[in-house]
Amino acid sequence: MAEVIEFRVPVGNGRTLLVLGVDAGASEHALYLAFAAFGPLYSVKLQRNAPVAGPGYYALVKFYSARDAKRAQCACNQKPLFQKSPLKVSMCTRQRAFPHQPLVLNSYKCRELANHYLGFNGWSSRIITLQNISGFEEVGNEEEEVRTSPRSQQSKYLCVQELTIPQYEICTRGVGVAELQVDPSQGFLVATHSLQKLAVQRALSDAFQKILLVVLENGKVAVEYSSPQDDPIDCLIEEDLRGLIQVTDLSLSDLTCEGEEEILSDHSIEEG
């Protein structure tokens, strides 16, 4: 049977494992290495037991794929893995209230997931435009202006990024907007570059939201385009986009497409 994986935060108990009996000396890294052998992981969280449960730790391991989670549970239950005593691994059955719309994955997680299923050379992205759109904002009311420091200013950047998966002849685009109240006395250039990076990351994440991974039981992967047929960004040719949005003249050489929580950790735009 086929399983559909979206570039969104995985939800549902079928994708989460509860690991009991973790020794005090264990680490989240050791857990990650043990369970990542069965498929890509969204998160690993190690927690101390409640006082009524006695000393020790437990962990929650969340997979993107319910099939991978089930295989890991069957293979790892009552096995010591990275410690001397065996672990008890079960499917998480604790019900939680999930949002109606699954949360979007940040760009770092999107890249990680795409690299696993498509390969490092199976996809690529490029920036079409990155523009300072602060001047297009409507002027706020006088009361708002009084509350805002006269030295600070609202800075906003818009990015349009193109995502290509050549093997499946898929090409789609994403839009990202980032804004911040910037005080020039606190390093305007650094804040501006961080804002540009965040807009780039959000644009890449937005592009991945239009992609579905269809994983077959034998491990083969197909890719589907899931955006509405009349998506305005994907329907416009690049010349039209450049006509609607003036291309910035700022250098992009220092920008990155890393995850939003690590916006200063990489210095490369080309991905894949």
Side-chain angles (χ1 to χ4, degrees), residues 23-93:
D23 290 345
S27 66
E28 289 184 350
H29 181 65
L31 283 156
Y32 184 92
L33 292 178
F35 288 96
F38 299 93
L41 304 178
Y42 170 72
S43 65
V44 175
K45 295 183 179 180
L46 185 62
Q47 304 285 342
R48 186 185 298 272
N49 287 342
V52 294
Y57 291 79
Y58 72 95
L60 293 174
V61 180
K62 181 172 288 190
F63 287 81
Y64 290 98
S65 163
R67 183 184 298 146
D68 291 344
K70 183 61 178 177
R71 289 194 302 112
Q73 190 271 326
C74 293
C76 297
N77 188 34
Q78 300 302 327
K79 301 292 177 59
L81 298 182
F82 48 81
Q83 59 184 38
K84 293 183 179 180
S85 57
L87 297 165
K88 182 179 179 181
V89 183
S90 59
M91 303 301 298
C92 185
T93 57

Side-chain angles (χ1 to χ4, degrees), residues 105-228:
L105 278 184
N106 65 42
S107 62
Y108 178 81
K109 291 289 188 181
C110 287
R111 294 172 64 193
E112 193 175 59
L113 194 59
N115 289 339
H116 177 84
Y117 284 108
L118 304 176
F120 289 92
N121 298 318
W123 64 279
S124 63
S125 66
R126 69 183 182 93
I127 294 174
I128 295 177
T129 183
L130 178 63
Q131 173 66 28
N132 186 342
I133 60 172
S134 306
F136 296 97
E137 293 180 339
E138 296 182 359
V139 179
N141 56 45
E142 295 182 0
E143 182 181 354
E144 185 67 26
E145 290 178 356
V146 170
R147 291 199 300 265
T148 303
S149 169
R151 297 181 58 191
S152 65
Q153 55 182 308
Q154 192 74 16
S155 185
K156 178 183 287 188
Y157 276 84
L158 178 144
C159 176
V160 178
Q161 191 163 174
E162 184 174 82
L163 172 67
T164 304
I165 306 177
Q167 182 180 353
Y168 299 93
E169 299 182 349
I170 290 177
C171 182
T172 185
R173 298 183 182 123
V175 178
V177 176
E179 61 181 318
L180 181 69
Q181 195 76 24
V182 178
D183 187 342
S185 66
Q186 298 179 356
F188 181 80
L189 185 60
V190 173
T192 298
H193 277 213
S194 297
L195 202 57
Q196 291 174 327
K197 293 171 185 179
L198 186 55
V200 169
Q201 294 157 9
R202 288 178 174 175
L204 180 62
S205 179
D206 184 60
F208 270 115
Q209 305 314 302
K210 304 174 185 180
I211 302 300
L212 294 178
L213 300 171
V214 183
V215 184
L216 304 180
E217 197 165 0
N218 60 8
K220 292 185 177 181
V221 179
V223 180
E224 296 289 339
Y225 177 79
S226 65
S227 183

